[in-house]
Amino acid sequence: MALTLIYCIFLISLPAMFQVASYPSSSFPMHGHGHHQKQQQVSSPSIQLPRTLARPPFAEASREAILAAAPELASVPAEYIRRGLRSRANEMLAGISVLSGSHLPSSMPRSHMQATISIPIRPTQAPPTYPTHVLALSSSKSSSDSVMLFPVHSLILASHCASLPRMPPPASPPSTTLHLPVLPFSLPSPAAFSILHTYMYNHRLDSVLKSLFPLPAGFLQSLSHHTVQTTLSSGTTLHQLSAYLCSSAGSNLHTLTSHAAHVKELWQDMVALGLHDPELWDTIDLAWEVVLGALNLAAKGH
């Protein structure tokens, strides 16, 4: 699936001096659903970074997709479905864990893919909630024959992602073999999807940030959406986090640019999937502010 991005980030070679916009003196504006954030793109001869990462217009999850995954929820709003799924996260993640490793490879050549993947399972008294499908992700930015495989529950994807194609119907309930229909899909960064895959189940903002770059353990402990929003409006706290990140990278511009690339790839995947989670979007905003600040500090030599 091709994705046309309004704003691109070109991470090529770094100049001797690198400059991005510093923190504004006032609070950062919070983004709302359905609004594009006006961007002031900053650049140098060999690198360009947008001041902020744009959010596409809000689009709710497809009612048709939800209906295909769970007909009994036809009249339930998507937001209520997402909240209800949180209480089942552990049993669904347990079902995914059973398939990890030798049962389901993490990747395979696209040419070897079939419409269904069959996996033997052991009957138990209290079986976990097994995945219903396998997402086979290829990169929209390369011609690699390899696809990454993610066992998923169709209702999780259908209720979170507005831009997924219609999923194949699930197989019959498992007995001794699990038959998982395969859904091929293309994303800018299949590797970055692993962060989103976990988040759609556990909704842990600290795990998202830890997957992107180092931050103080005290800040990440019990991280809430309120903490994220408060931090976004505090130039002092943002500076402290940027200084920590800059120090952890040894003020190395190449390392910090790699961190920026990881945030950018996660953002691109969210846009491509139509994943409109306000808490996650604010967390991506926070990650971007911190990494831009760290790049500024490294470029200025503190």
Side-chain angles (χ1 to χ4, degrees):
M1 176 180 179
L3 170 67
T4 302
L5 289 172
I6 301 173
Y7 300 98
C8 297
I9 303 170
F10 300 95
L11 301 172
I12 312 173
S13 60
L14 286 167
M17 283 299 292
F18 168 72
Q19 183 72 30
V20 294
S22 59
Y23 301 127
S25 57
S26 59
S27 301
F28 290 104
M30 301 304 294
H31 305 278
H33 286 315
H35 292 82
H36 286 285
Q37 181 69 14
K38 184 178 180 181
Q39 297 195 356
Q40 295 177 330
Q41 193 172 57
V42 293
S43 63
S44 74
S46 51
I47 185 167
Q48 296 180 345
L49 295 174
R51 181 60 186 84
T52 57
L53 299 178
R55 299 188 191 187
F58 173 73
E60 185 55 274
S62 164
R63 178 53 52 182
E64 182 184 6
I66 292 175
L67 189 61
E72 68 277 13
L73 300 178
S75 60
V76 180
E79 178 60 26
Y80 284 95
I81 295 174
R82 288 190 288 268
R83 292 187 179 278
L85 286 171
R86 295 192 186 194
S87 64
R88 299 176 51 196
N90 288 339
E91 63 189 71
M92 290 189 287
L93 287 170
I96 289 175
S97 179
V98 169
L99 307 188
S100 300
S102 59
H103 294 293
L104 181 68
S106 60
S107 64
M108 69 169 53
R110 192 199 314 256
S111 55
H112 293 181
M113 285 300 306
Q114 298 180 348
T116 302
I117 294 179
S118 297
I119 301 172
I121 56 174
R122 293 181 179 179
T124 61
Q125 283 189 329
T129 302
Y130 290 112
T132 59
H133 294 73
V134 170
L135 201 57
L137 293 182
S138 58
S139 173
S140 60
K141 298 192 291 187
S142 77
S143 56
S144 171
D145 181 52
S146 178
V147 295
M148 296 186 69
L149 304 179
F150 293 90
V152 297
H153 296 79
S154 58
L155 187 55
I156 287 283
L157 288 183
S159 61
H160 283 85
C161 304
S163 300
L164 279 176
R166 182 180 178 86
M167 302 186 74
S172 56
S175 53
T176 58
T177 303
L178 196 61
H179 301 286
L180 301 178
V182 175
L183 177 66
F185 196 69
S186 179
L187 284 177
S189 176
F193 176 77
S194 62
I195 301 175
L196 300 177
H197 180 233
T198 303
Y199 176 80
M200 284 187 279
Y201 287 89
N202 64 22
H203 291 266
R204 286 187 54 181
L205 302 177
D206 62 318
S207 295
V208 173
L209 288 176
K210 279 192 283 189
S211 299
L212 294 171
F213 47 66
L215 285 173
F219 175 77
L220 293 172
Q221 186 175 11
S222 303
L223 184 69
S224 67
H225 185 209
H226 176 71
T227 304
V228 169
Q229 292 177 310
T230 301
T231 305
L232 276 168
S233 64
S234 171
T236 300
T237 306
L238 286 171
H239 179 80
Q240 292 170 346
L241 294 175
S242 294
Y244 181 94
L245 179 58
C246 183
S247 177
S248 71
S251 298
N252 185 289
L253 284 172
H254 178 75
T255 300
L256 293 171
T257 303
S258 295
H259 291 329
H262 294 153
V263 180
K264 176 262 298 184
E265 289 165 355
L266 193 62
W267 164 62
Q268 287 180 319
D269 280 2
M270 289 175 63
V271 174
L273 290 166
L275 207 169
H276 295 276
D277 184 299
E279 296 183 13
L280 183 57
W281 273 113
D282 286 344
T283 302
I284 295 300
D285 285 345
L286 175 59
W288 193 244
E289 296 296 343
V290 171
V291 76
L292 288 188
L295 280 165
N296 258 334
L297 292 173
K300 295 176 181 178
H302 299 268

